[in-house]
Amino acid sequence: MLLSTVIKRLVSSKCCSTSHLHHPLLNNSSNAISSSSSTWTLAIRSSADLGRPRIALSLYTSLLRSGERPDPFAIAAALKSISRLPISSSSSLAPVFHAHLIKLGLRSHIYPHTALADLYSRLPSSSTSVRKLLDEMPIRNVVSWNSILASQLRSGNMTAARKLFEEMPIRDIVSWNSMVAGLAKAGDLDGATLLFESMPEKNSASWNGLICGYVRRGDMVKARELFDQMPERSTASWITMISGYTKCGDVKSASELFELMERKDLYAWNAIIACYAQNGCAREAIQLFNRMQKPYVGMSPNEKTFSCVLSACSQLGNLRFGLWVENCMRFSGIQLDDHLSTALLDLYLKCGGMDKAFKLFEGLQRRDVVSYSAMILGCGINGRLHEAIELFKEMLDSKVAPNAVTFVGLLTAYNHAGLVDEAQTCFASMLTKHKIVPVMDHYTIMVDILGRSGRLEEAFQLIKRMPMQPHVSVWGALLLACRLHNSVELGEIAARNCFELEPKETGYHVLLANIYAEAGRWDKAKKLRKVMVERGLTKMPGCSWVQPGQIF
């Protein structure tokens, strides 16, 4: 099969036809340069440098069809573009281009050969191929050596990478940075630090590589210490720190760091909005979204921004603002990809819009664990057990492995239906069949299921068998079940633990007082209410509201 045909098939799904490409170097105006080989090369290289790999490859296809012989620089640019395609496409094109190089007699030319080595280094399990290519090169430059080093680091072969690094006849700052970042990513922070300190010169990427290692470990104290020592910080430095604080739930430190930034680009805004959205500060996330669009900021949101804001709307159950965000996306010309569609269907599900959620789900090009789990959880929350089970079966049939959220949705669905035995079977299958360790949310739901069905002792024994310290939500579920079934003894145990974990929460005191009252133990009920008064614990008044636009 001709190379041009292979390229066309792989890029045509998302790239316009080459006959409609209008590159400034390849137009039909009177001042246009003729489409010689050098002109094609300039057009291909400029498209590759601008991050438009599919257009660069389409231009390369046109070059081949024009009868012109591609020069080494055009081939190198095409190989660079292939490395930016999805793995499935780049894996298919790499060996074809390799054969293309051999046919053109350019297998030993340093530029396309180095580009080919770099391409292979980005593919899974390719370290052997890259090393072979390097051995075949009559002339090797530092870029060639860096390609094989990158390949070893990506494969996780740190011993081979370290040996290669020591053997390299020449090293530049990219070589050092790659090794420091690779060691840090592998968890060898002591080795990364020693190498970092011995570097002949450092740039912001050198510091970022080491900082990322400490952030990945969760050691934000050491990461901040390094960040404060940096002579010059890039935007990536700030975002790395903000993302680290996000993962450990330190919203305050992330916010303070964001405000210290002199120049905040879109990536920084997205990082801080994501920080608030992921840590339960949904209102603050929406406020930041509004702030970034103020005239004095003038920042236009992108897909990532809208995804975070839709997540915040879901947490608040704010369908009205969520629909406004959806219209804002359309007005901005942003197409709904699978990620944004999943964020929208999560909003619809949490606001009761099951039909619209199912419509969005059916339109997804690729259904992954996130979209399946969101749908199953939504069905569970809305009491649609049959749909939840069917989605779970479809998920397994599609070879999509479930995660912890998937089982939260399933157990919630069984809880709504009151199916205790089925829930227990599902809970047991998490570890035995799917190798998913239950977390606090799963135990809370199981305690609630058992408790509501009157199996209080089983619920209590489950709590005692938990591999982690029970959260107040678990004891609260048992306490509520004791209130439903008027169990004084277990109610006192559950309440005692709730008081220790959340001493200022009045609801647990009220539940225990009601249990005493139902059992006719008025003296204990009176004594408990007296304690509440002495501690200044007052019952919060109940309230409810309906937002306009909540009905589908």
Side-chain angles (χ1 to χ4, degrees):
M1 185 182 292
L2 291 173
L3 175 63
S4 59
T5 306
V6 176
I7 297 174
K8 185 177 180 182
R9 287 186 179 180
L10 286 170
V11 304
S12 60
S13 60
K14 292 186 178 179
C15 181
C16 56
S17 170
T18 54
S19 62
H20 293 90
L21 290 173
H22 297 285
H23 194 280
L25 296 173
L26 297 171
N27 56 51
N28 296 318
S29 66
S30 58
N31 296 323
I33 305 172
S34 62
S35 297
S36 65
S37 178
S38 60
T39 308
W40 281 111
T41 299
L42 287 172
I44 294 165
R45 290 181 69 180
S46 65
S47 296
D49 291 340
L50 288 170
R52 298 172 179 174
R54 297 182 185 277
I55 292 179
L57 289 171
S58 291
L59 287 167
Y60 191 81
T61 302
S62 297
L63 165 61
L64 295 178
R65 289 178 174 174
S66 71
E68 292 280 352
R69 177 183 171 86
D71 63 25
F73 303 102
I75 299 171
L79 286 163
K80 178 182 177 181
S81 298
I82 293 171
S83 68
R84 294 180 177 177
L85 294 175
I87 292 294
S88 58
S89 297
S90 54
S91 297
S92 301
L93 278 173
V96 178
F97 249 89
H98 194 167
H100 181 56
L101 275 178
I102 295 172
K103 185 177 180 180
L104 291 173
L106 296 170
R107 62 180 298 174
S108 61
H109 196 288
I110 188 168
Y111 290 109
H113 209 100
T114 299
L116 183 63
D118 182 66
L119 169 59
Y120 272 123
S121 75
R122 298 174 186 274
L123 303 179
S125 306
S126 60
S127 56
T128 304
S129 301
V130 181
R131 185 66 203 224
K132 185 178 179 182
L133 277 173
L134 188 66
D135 292 339
E136 292 174 355
M137 292 180 70
I139 303 174
R140 303 169 192 169
N141 60 9
V142 68
V143 179
S144 312
W145 286 99
N146 286 341
S147 294
I148 181 65
L149 178 62
S151 175
Q152 298 287 6
L153 291 171
R154 287 193 188 98
S155 66
N157 192 344
M158 298 308 300
T159 303
R162 190 63 187 258
K163 182 181 178 182
L164 178 70
F165 179 76
E166 292 170 354
E167 291 175 354
M168 289 174 67
I170 47 174
R171 302 172 190 153
D172 61 5
I173 196 168
V174 175
S175 318
W176 287 89
N177 287 347
S178 297
M179 204 60 218
V180 169
L183 289 168
K185 186 176 181 180
D188 185 6
L189 289 171
D190 292 336
T193 302
L194 285 173
L195 199 64
F196 174 80
E197 291 172 349
S198 64
M199 289 181 69
E201 61 173 319
K202 302 180 181 73
N203 60 12
S204 61
S206 317
W207 290 85
N208 291 342
L210 193 57
I211 289 172
C212 282
Y214 283 104
V215 167
R216 193 174 289 109
R217 179 187 281 183
D219 188 352
M220 291 306 299
V221 174
K222 182 63 178 177
R224 184 59 184 265
E225 183 182 317
L226 286 167
F227 178 80
D228 291 338
Q229 292 173 9
M230 289 181 72
E232 185 178 350
R233 305 181 185 106
S234 64
T235 302
S237 314
W238 293 88
I239 294 175
T240 298
M241 288 299 299
I242 291 172
S243 299
Y245 284 127
T246 299
K247 290 178 181 177
C248 67
D250 190 350
V251 179
K252 182 180 178 183
S253 295
S255 178
E256 289 173 352
L257 208 60
F258 175 76
E259 296 301 337
L260 287 173
M261 291 183 71
E262 292 184 6
R263 296 180 179 179
K264 304 177 178 71
D265 63 8
L266 180 58
Y267 298 103
W269 282 97
N270 285 346
I272 191 62
I273 291 173
C275 175
Y276 279 110
Q278 292 171 20
N279 285 284
C281 303
R283 294 186 186 280
E284 291 83 353
I286 292 175
Q287 288 170 2
L288 278 168
F289 173 71
N290 290 329
R291 175 182 156 194
M292 73 181 285
Q293 298 178 82
K294 297 290 185 182
Y296 61 86
V297 177
M299 196 67 63
S300 298
N302 66 0
E303 292 87 347
K304 173 66 176 175
T305 324
F306 286 121
S307 176
C308 294
V309 174
L310 286 171
S311 174
C313 292
S314 297
Q315 294 174 41
L316 295 172
N318 192 337
L319 178 64
R320 190 176 186 182
F321 190 77
L323 293 175
W324 179 85
V325 171
E326 185 181 4
N327 288 329
C328 188
M329 286 191 294
R330 290 198 184 99
F331 182 77
S332 302
I334 292 178
Q335 299 295 321
L336 276 182
D337 58 13
D338 285 356
H339 190 67
L340 280 172
S341 294
T342 301
L344 258 181
L345 73 84
D346 184 56
L347 171 65
Y348 291 144
L349 289 166
K350 289 178 180 176
C351 296
M354 296 296 296
D355 293 339
K356 295 193 80 171
F358 269 104
K359 185 176 180 180
L360 268 175
F361 181 73
E362 290 166 0
L364 293 177
Q365 294 182 1
R366 178 176 173 270
R367 299 173 186 176
D368 58 8
V369 64
V370 177
S371 54
Y372 269 113
S373 297
M375 287 299 300
I376 292 170
L377 181 58
C379 289
I381 292 171
N382 289 281
R384 298 174 71 159
L385 175 65
H386 177 72
E387 287 93 334
I389 293 174
E390 288 299 315
L391 282 165
F392 183 67
K393 290 179 179 177
E394 180 186 315
M395 182 181 188
L396 297 181
D397 291 341
S398 302
K399 307 300 181 185
V400 177
N403 62 11
V405 178
T406 315
F407 284 96
V408 169
L410 277 175
L411 292 174
T412 300
Y414 285 124
N415 194 8
H416 270 281
L419 300 176
V420 184
D421 294 337
E422 289 81 352
Q424 286 184 308
T425 301
C426 177
F427 181 75
S429 73
M430 286 181 63
L431 189 58
T432 58
K433 188 175 181 180
H434 301 283
K435 310 304 178 187
I436 298 172
V437 179
V439 296
M440 197 66 66
D441 287 342
H442 304 110
Y443 281 102
T444 301
I445 299 170
M446 283 307 302
V447 169
D448 190 49
I449 292 173
L450 291 167
R452 287 179 183 275
S453 65
R455 296 157 70 166
L456 299 176
E457 185 59 34
E458 284 186 59
F460 181 53
Q461 292 302 320
L462 179 62
I463 295 175
K464 291 172 68 174
R465 293 195 304 270
M466 286 176 62
M468 73 285 287
Q469 190 69 26
H471 189 264
V472 68
S473 61
V474 177
W475 290 113
L478 180 61
L479 179 58
L480 180 60
C482 292
R483 169 71 180 88
L484 292 173
H485 298 282
N486 198 30
S487 175
V488 177
E489 183 180 350
L490 281 179
E492 287 177 330
I493 295 173
R496 194 183 309 123
N497 283 279
C498 290
F499 297 162
E500 290 177 3
L501 293 168
E502 287 190 358
K504 295 183 179 181
E505 176 57 51
T506 60
Y508 307 125
H509 292 78
V510 173
L511 280 172
L512 182 58
N514 289 337
I515 291 173
Y516 286 144
E518 285 286 336
R521 299 186 182 183
W522 299 105
D523 53 336
K524 286 195 172 185
K526 185 177 180 180
K527 184 179 179 180
L528 186 59
R529 294 187 184 279
K530 183 179 179 182
V531 169
M532 290 176 63
V533 173
E534 290 172 352
R535 295 180 182 177
L537 301 175
T538 57
K539 183 179 178 182
M540 291 286 291
C543 65
S544 62
W545 68 90
V546 176
Q547 290 190 30
Q550 292 284 76
I551 300 173
F552 288 86

